[in-house]
Each structure stands twice: as C-alpha cells, then as structure tokens.
Amino acid sequence: MKSSKKISSALISVYHKDHLEPIVRKLHELGVTLYATGGTQDFIEGLKLPVVPVEDVTDYPSILGGRVKTLHPKIFGGILSRRENSSDITEMEEYKIPNIDLVIVDLYPFESTLASGADEQSIIEKIDIGGISLIRAAAKNFKDVLIIPSRDQYSFLSDILNNQDGVTSLEDRKRMCVQAFELSSHYDAAIFAYFNSDKSVDVFKQSIRTSRSLRYGENPHQAARFYGQFEDIFEQLHGKEISYNNLLDIDAAVSLIKEFEEPTVAILKHNNACGIASRSSISEAWKDALSADPVSAFGGIIIVNREIDGKSAEAMNQLFFEVLIAPAFSKDALEVLKQKKNRILLVQKGTELSAKQFRTLLNGVVEQDRDLKTESARDMKTVTKLAPTAVEVSDLEFANKIVKHTKSNTIVLAKNKQLLASGTGQTSRVDALQQAIAKAKNFGFDLKGSVMASDAFFPFPDCVEIADKAGIKTVIQPGGSIKDQESIDYCNEHGMAMVITGFRHFKH
C-alpha cells in the first residue's frame, strides 16, 4: 500500500465560509475535482470556480429543509472505499461511485447557539448530522482519505496544498484522524450534556478542548497541564508562566475573595489564607492582612477586590510574592509592581466558576456540588444565655467565611474584620485551636474580644474551654454533636456566647 496519496477529489460541506476561499482556489489550481453541498456550492460558484453539486452524484435532491443532503451510499461509498481492496474497487465501478480523497467539514455551531440563549428548536436544528457522519467516515478511512474536521485545521491543509502539491502522507492523514475524533467526541459530549441536564443518565463526562502546558506539577518531577479557558477569567499583565501550584492558589483565592463586598485583601499560602482584612481602603486592608502572619506571606499570592493604586502597590512591593490578582491596576501601581520581572500580575475579569467539582480518586472520579452556602446573621441560632453583640455578629460572619475556605480541621480567630490567626489542616480540632492561639500570640495579637469559628462541630467541650482561657468569648460552629450541650453548658457557665449555623464546611 502506498502511504503517500495525491488529492484528486474533495467534498466540501462547511457552515462557516470564512478563510475557505484560498483553500478552494488552490484545490482548483491543483486540478482537484470539487464536490459541495448547498450553501458551500453557492459560495464556490460565486468564486467562478467549477463545482459538482452533491445532488449530481446522488441523483437525489436535498430534502427535509436541508436536513438530509450527504447521507447517501454514493457519498459515503466514495469516502469509505478502500483504494487497494479489489472487492471495493469492483463495487465502486459497478455503482459508478467516485472516490473522495479529501473531506472538509465545519459543523453547525451547536455550542455557540446554546450559549446564546436560543430557544430549544433553534438549538436542536444546530445539531449536525451529515457533517459529523462525514467526519467519522473520513477519519475511519484515514489510510486513504484526509479529513479536515473544522476551519481550525485550514492552516494545516494549506501547508499540504502549497508545500506538498496536495500529496498527503499517512502521518498527515492519521494526525487529522485524531483531530477529527477529538472534535466529534467533544461535539457529542456537548449535545449529551444539553439533553442530560436533569442527570437522568448517571455518567461522568467532561470534554475541555483548550489546554496549556505547565512548567511542572506540584513538584519538578511531575508533568502537568491545565485544561480550560484561563483567559476567560484573567488577563496576565506581567510575569513568568503560571505554575500548577500557582493555579491551585489562584483558584482558592478567587473562591475566597468572592465572599467579601467591602474593600478586602487576602494573602494565601498553600491554598489557605494566612492574612485577610476588610477595611475602608485597600492600603489599610493590606496593612492589617499582612500583620496576621508576615512570615507565611513571603512567597504567597495576594488577591484584592478593588483597583490597586500606587500607594498600595508601594506597600505590597516591599514583600516577595508570586502572584497579585485585582480587578484593575492604576498606571502608577503597574510601574511599581512590574519592577520584579517574574512577579505575576493578573486582572480578574470574572468569577464564573463551575457549580460542580470533581477529582480523580482511586480508579475513578468523585464529583460534588461546589460549597455555595455562606451563612449570614439570619442563619445564626444563639444557643447560649448570652447573645453576641452586633459587632461580634459581624466578626462571626467574617470568620465563618474564612473557615469555609480553609483546610480541615481548622479554627479561625478574628477581630474587627481581620484574621488574627488560623489553625489549618490538623488531625485534631484541639490542635488546630492551639496552633491558632500560638500564632496569634506570636504576632502580638490580644485575643480578648476576638471570635472563634470552627468548620465542624465540637465533639467535646475542650475547645471552648481552651478558647475561654485564651480570652475568646464568642464562638460560631455548625453544631450537630451528640455532646453539643456540654459545650453550650460550659459557655453558659463562663459567660461565653455561642451560635450554631447547622452547616458544616469541611475542606480537604
């Protein structure tokens, strides 16, 4: 079998006609016989080039409003025939079926029609049937046929036509075969997701076509890629290539900052907030966020929910950090922050995050709903004789937002809308609390008047006792322990206020 194949005939059936003209003109120049359907035929004829209507091959008109054009043995026989199979050759001659060496397709735009908010009938009409069948047929017969499954591959085809005189190698055809089945599987996955929106068919399917190579994974010996449209959420203004670990921190930062409406600065390290404060200005918020743990802040990432001005940038520039995310940067701020060539500066354009989360686990995948529950004062049930003051309720809301986004087991201590300290990722809730208290004292914070938030219930009253002895008098927790009353009794006996929300926020 000859691996090189000269293109002598081409079937073209495309939705979008942009960038098609130079391809068609070059095919004509090379003496290739062109076959085309409806709108594509009209386009080629408009270029004053010869083209054979598909109907002339099939002896059958386009029917059902164009729903059936190419679905015919004389078309699919021409694509699927094995050029060196004697039986196929005999049948092709008997039924007068022309061989088709090149198939160019551009499918109906199902996904963009869906995204536009179109009605159901319009969406259904953009489910391509003939085109997807042509793609699969040509890809299956890659040993003899070249498939160009979308306009994204026009440059590849142009190179073959202009630099190889229309001669394809087996490698060329197999490369496009892979592209074709990738496109067809993605197209079908999108259609399936549309019809299965109620999850009546319980399967896991994801198809993300855009990806970028990362420098490495969590560690230099691990390869990594990011699949998704990073540019839909961020514009990178400056800095080095974003790493796997950067992405994990960025994801955690975006989820956290979304919780706050006042001017807020958060500093994260290994996906946990090591500093966060809400103030009347970003410069004040920065100062108080950094004071929570200036040691951990070194090499971390920073996210803010207001424009960064020159004053804030000057203060931030004193710290070494990897990434800074903001909705905008002033000109003065950029001049300061760009002084470090590797520092990553990101403008956050949106916060559209998936409502579902999934990860590989054992020999499969687990999926869950994103934790979208954020408790407010309305969710707080006071279970002690002493109720928290209005200021304490505000701090409880603040602390509970942070605890929701911190690795379990975790305890968060806060006062005046400032993170004082947190205990993160501990196997014991007591250890998490003791870690938080030790850190707060290490950085000179007075815990009197502060509040404590826990991501899960207290199985014993030991945590409220430790908090009380450290000067903490107000507590928020989900509740739900069979020994809740013991913690409540301790609070009542020692003048502490406790509220229960009924919502746990484990994060692993």
Side-chain angles (χ1 to χ4, degrees):
M1 178 185 292
K2 291 174 59 179
S3 62
S4 294
K5 302 284 183 179
K6 174 76 173 179
I7 297 173
S8 299
S9 57
L11 171 63
I12 310 174
S13 179
V14 299
Y15 183 85
H16 296 99
K17 311 301 188 294
D18 47 313
H19 309 300
L20 181 62
E21 181 177 347
I23 298 288
V24 172
R25 290 194 181 280
K26 187 63 181 179
L27 287 169
H28 173 67
E29 181 184 319
L30 292 172
V32 175
T33 301
L34 303 179
Y35 300 94
T37 58
T40 307
Q41 174 196 333
D42 293 341
F43 174 82
I44 296 172
E45 288 176 342
L47 299 176
K48 308 300 182 185
L49 298 175
V51 58
V52 179
V54 164
E55 289 88 341
D56 287 0
V57 178
T58 63
D59 292 324
Y60 215 93
S62 170
I63 62 172
L64 305 180
R67 280 189 164 197
V68 181
K69 297 188 286 284
T70 58
L71 295 170
H72 194 281
K74 282 197 172 183
I75 297 299
F76 281 85
I79 297 170
L80 288 165
S81 67
R82 292 159 290 188
R83 304 307 196 259
E84 298 185 15
N85 181 290
S86 59
S87 177
D88 285 8
I89 293 171
T90 299
E91 290 186 20
M92 295 288 284
E93 292 173 351
E94 179 182 355
Y95 296 108
K96 296 181 174 56
I97 300 173
N99 283 321
I100 296 173
D101 306 316
L102 167 67
V103 176
I104 304 175
V105 178
D106 188 64
L107 297 173
Y108 290 167
F110 175 80
E111 287 183 282
S112 59
T113 302
L114 178 62
S116 73
D119 61 86
E120 183 180 70
Q121 190 56 42
S122 297
I123 292 169
I124 289 173
E125 288 304 320
K126 287 300 184 287
I127 297 176
D128 206 313
I129 303 301
I132 205 77
S133 301
L134 292 172
I135 288 173
R136 290 176 62 83
K140 176 178 179 176
N141 200 25
F142 70 89
K143 290 183 178 179
D144 292 306
V145 178
L146 176 66
I147 175 62
I148 300 298
S150 79
R151 51 185 173 164
D152 293 338
Q153 286 78 41
Y154 281 1
S155 61
F156 179 83
L157 176 59
S158 180
D159 183 64
I160 288 174
L161 299 179
N162 289 290
N163 299 324
Q164 298 174 203
D165 291 325
V167 176
T168 67
S169 67
L170 181 61
E171 182 183 4
D172 293 331
R173 298 191 298 277
K174 194 164 187 178
R175 178 178 173 184
M176 286 297 103
C177 163
V178 173
Q179 294 281 332
F181 283 118
E182 184 281 320
L183 183 145
S184 66
S185 65
H186 176 81
Y187 196 78
D188 284 342
I191 295 168
F192 170 76
Y194 170 70
F195 284 108
N196 195 46
S197 60
D198 62 352
K199 300 296 182 183
S200 57
V201 178
D202 189 10
V203 297
F204 180 83
K205 287 182 184 289
Q206 287 287 328
S207 179
I208 303 174
R209 305 191 69 203
T210 305
S211 70
R212 60 159 66 180
S213 177
L214 303 176
R215 295 201 307 273
Y216 50 80
E218 279 187 289
N219 301 292
H221 62 276
Q222 295 172 265
R225 295 190 71 83
F226 171 73
Y227 293 89
Q229 295 280 5
F230 186 82
E231 295 76 13
D232 286 353
I233 301 180
F234 300 104
E235 177 186 359
Q236 183 168 350
L237 302 180
H238 184 72
K240 63 184 178 181
E241 182 184 344
I242 293 170
S243 71
Y244 179 95
N245 290 329
N246 290 154
L247 286 171
L248 293 179
D249 283 332
I250 290 167
D251 178 70
V254 168
S255 296
L256 174 61
I257 203 70
K258 194 174 182 180
E259 303 278 3
F260 300 91
E261 296 181 0
E262 297 175 78
T264 301
V265 174
I267 309 168
L268 290 90
K269 192 77 169 285
H270 296 298
N271 315 153
N272 295 306
C274 57
I276 182 167
S278 295
R279 295 291 182 262
S280 60
S281 69
I282 290 298
S283 60
E284 287 298 312
W286 164 252
K287 181 183 71 173
D288 289 340
L290 181 62
S291 68
D293 188 349
V295 175
S296 295
F298 183 86
I301 81 162
I302 305 164
I303 189 166
V304 308
N305 60 1
R306 296 289 192 279
E307 179 181 88
I308 295 182
D309 57 21
K311 180 181 178 182
S312 301
E314 290 283 0
M316 293 175 178
N317 198 45
Q318 304 306 307
L319 177 74
F320 168 72
F321 58 87
E322 291 267 342
V323 183
L324 175 55
I325 307 166
F329 295 83
S330 73
K331 181 179 178 182
D332 291 343
L334 286 176
E335 288 179 1
V336 172
L337 295 167
K338 285 184 176 181
Q339 291 173 9
K340 301 291 194 309
K341 68 175 183 178
N342 288 330
R343 178 181 285 159
I344 298 168
L345 303 178
L346 298 175
V347 173
Q348 185 177 344
K349 298 186 287 188
T351 54
E352 286 301 317
L353 302 176
S354 171
K356 295 285 185 181
Q357 295 175 308
F358 59 88
R359 64 197 297 182
T360 58
L361 197 71
L362 299 175
N363 61 345
V365 174
V366 289
E367 182 185 68
Q368 68 169 355
D369 295 335
R370 183 179 291 274
D371 185 357
L372 299 176
K373 177 62 181 177
T374 300
E375 292 85 353
S376 67
R378 293 188 299 273
D379 297 301
M380 298 180 191
K381 177 184 177 183
T382 301
V383 292
T384 50
K385 296 175 183 177
L386 185 66
T389 66
V391 171
E392 289 170 336
V393 167
S394 179
D395 278 343
L396 289 173
E397 287 182 315
F398 179 86
N400 207 50
K401 289 175 181 178
I402 302 169
V403 90
K404 169 184 170 183
H405 294 277
T406 306
K407 298 286 185 178
S408 301
N409 287 314
T410 180
I411 293 288
V412 165
L413 307 179
K415 182 165 64 175
N416 298 327
K417 295 185 179 178
Q418 177 189 14
L419 173 64
L420 302 185
S422 61
T424 64
Q426 299 301 304
T427 53
S428 159
R429 197 157 302 281
V430 169
D431 288 346
L433 175 55
Q434 290 175 334
Q435 181 189 56
I437 292 171
K439 286 188 70 173
K441 290 181 176 179
N442 185 53
F443 292 111
F445 289 109
D446 181 1
L447 292 177
K448 291 181 180 178
S450 66
V451 304
M452 174 173 75
S454 176
D455 61 334
F457 64 64
F458 300 119
F460 304 102
D462 45 9
C463 279
V464 290
E465 181 179 352
I466 293 168
D468 174 41
K469 291 177 179 178
I472 302 161
K473 292 293 185 180
T474 311
V475 180
I476 184 170
Q477 59 130 333
S481 169
I482 60 173
K483 294 187 177 182
D484 272 348
Q485 194 58 48
E486 291 183 19
S487 293
I488 295 169
D489 290 343
Y490 182 93
C491 290
N492 284 331
E493 291 166 7
H494 294 83
M496 298 176 70
M498 177 185 286
V499 300
I500 287 177
T501 64
F503 292 93
R504 189 183 73 185
H505 290 293
F506 271 165
K507 186 169 187 278
H508 297 104

